[in-house]
Amino acid sequence: MQKKTEIVTARMTPKVKEQLQQRAQDANMTLTDYLCICGLGQEIVRVDGLDAVLLELKAQGRNLNQLTMLANMGRLTILRSDELIDKYTDLCAAIRRLTKEVS
């Protein structure tokens, strides 16, 4: 990612500024990023539910990493993977649902 070094100044009414700030906040973006993306004609897509899926994906990644470390240390020899597989199945289903909503 390139460092942002250029400054652009724009005059607008307080109401317009407030509306832009709200839209940027709704898109979970900074005002600068929001204005740049809109100004370049790119589409902003907000996917409801994505944050929860990403949190679960990170948690599963941590769990898998811990299991791998224990197995490599020889402290884990038997693993009942049914629960892990069920969680990944649920996660994949959630990702498929979100993908269909965006498409």
Side-chain angles (χ1 to χ4, degrees), residues 6 12 23 37 48-49 52 78:
E6 299 300 312
M12 61 191 74
R23 288 183 182 194
I37 287 174
D48 293 326
I78 298 174

Side-chain angles (χ1 to χ4, degrees), residues 49-62 91:
L50 183 60
D51 293 339
V53 170
L54 291 176
L55 283 174
E56 181 63 26
L57 186 58
K58 288 178 186 178
Q60 292 303 322
R62 283 190 302 273
L91 194 54

Side-chain angles (χ1 to χ4, degrees), residues 3 9-11 14 20 25 27 33 37 40 42 49 56 58 65 77 79 89-90 92 102:
K3 186 175 180 181
T9 304
R11 294 189 182 275
L20 288 171
Q25 185 179 354
D33 289 341
I37 287 174
L40 293 172
Q42 298 173 347
E56 181 63 26
K58 288 178 186 178
N65 186 45
T77 55
L79 173 66
T89 302
D90 294 344
C92 288
V102 173

Side-chain angles (χ1 to χ4, degrees), residues 36-97:
C36 288
I37 287 174
C38 289
L40 293 172
Q42 298 173 347
E43 184 179 2
I44 297 172
V45 178
R46 178 80 178 135
V47 181
D48 293 326
L50 183 60
D51 293 339
V53 170
L54 291 176
L55 283 174
E56 181 63 26
L57 186 58
K58 288 178 186 178
Q60 292 303 322
R62 283 190 302 273
N63 290 343
L64 189 57
N65 186 45
Q66 290 171 355
L67 291 171
T68 302
M69 286 176 44
L70 290 172
N72 286 336
M73 292 169 33
R75 297 178 60 195
L76 179 69
T77 55
I78 298 174
L79 173 66
R80 288 189 54 230
S81 60
D82 298 345
E83 187 177 331
L84 189 62
I85 291 170
D86 290 344
K87 286 285 188 182
Y88 276 110
T89 302
D90 294 344
L91 194 54
C92 288
I95 291 171
R96 274 193 296 276
R97 251 189 336 273

